[in-house]
Amino acid sequence: MKKMMLSLSCVAIAMAGYAHQTGMLCNAGTAVDAMVSTVQQTYPAREGDMAPDFVLKDINGNDLSLSSLRGKYVVIDFWGSWCGWCIKGMPEMKKYYAKYADRMEILGIDCGDSDQQWKEAVAKYQLPWKHVYNPRESKLLASYGIEGFPTKMVIDPQGKIVKIVVGEDPVFYTFLDQLFTAQ
């Protein structure tokens, strides 16, 4: 009986989350809102979702929030100095940063380095965009569903995820060209 009740509860939560995401749930009560909130927190961010906000320390030790960058497109780059493909892609990222700096910001999020390794890599590769340090105990990678590096996400000026590219893939740069050429 307990297993059946647990299964039914899971189905109800999933249905509430689906209804909320598809707009089928308009004026939900607080119990349903709580279930939806729980459902949304257990699934990683996807294209079309609002990007989860966060506050991390920048390279100078100051707090930097994702929401403080609203108004421009933001490319979130989840990377690490230990990641060969991340480093291999930096020259192309630098070219695109220079090309579209008036319309986008890049926010590099360090993943898996020590504070010192991260700062040394930013200096060594002369990465001119904004950078934040993601401590190992952070839940940020889970909330974004990061499973591979590099992962790049394009966030629109209102904070919505419009593109996710895992790996160093030319599709990412083609997308940026199409996005900014259309404007």
Side-chain angles (χ1 to χ4, degrees), residues 20 40 47 50-51 53 55 63 78 94 104 171:
H20 186 275
Q40 289 177 336
E47 289 179 10
M50 290 299 289
D53 199 14
V55 177
D63 286 344
F78 293 91
K94 287 165 96 173
M104 75 170 188
V171 165

Side-chain angles (χ1 to χ4, degrees), residues 88-134:
K88 185 176 180 175
M90 291 304 177
E92 194 71 6
M93 285 279 284
K94 287 165 96 173
K95 283 187 350 190
Y96 272 77
Y97 181 67
K99 187 175 183 178
Y100 297 121
D102 61 329
R103 291 179 265 176
M104 75 170 188
E105 183 61 63
I106 297 177
L107 178 61
I109 298 181
D110 172 74
C111 300
D113 287 318
S114 70
D115 186 66
Q116 182 178 343
Q117 289 170 320
W118 163 60
K119 288 178 180 178
E120 288 172 359
V122 170
K124 177 180 178 179
Y125 299 108
Q126 300 175 7
L127 307 177
W129 48 84
K130 296 181 184 301
H131 293 272
V132 291
Y133 183 68
N134 183 40

Side-chain angles (χ1 to χ4, degrees), residues 6 23 39 47:
L6 181 59
V39 169
E47 289 179 10

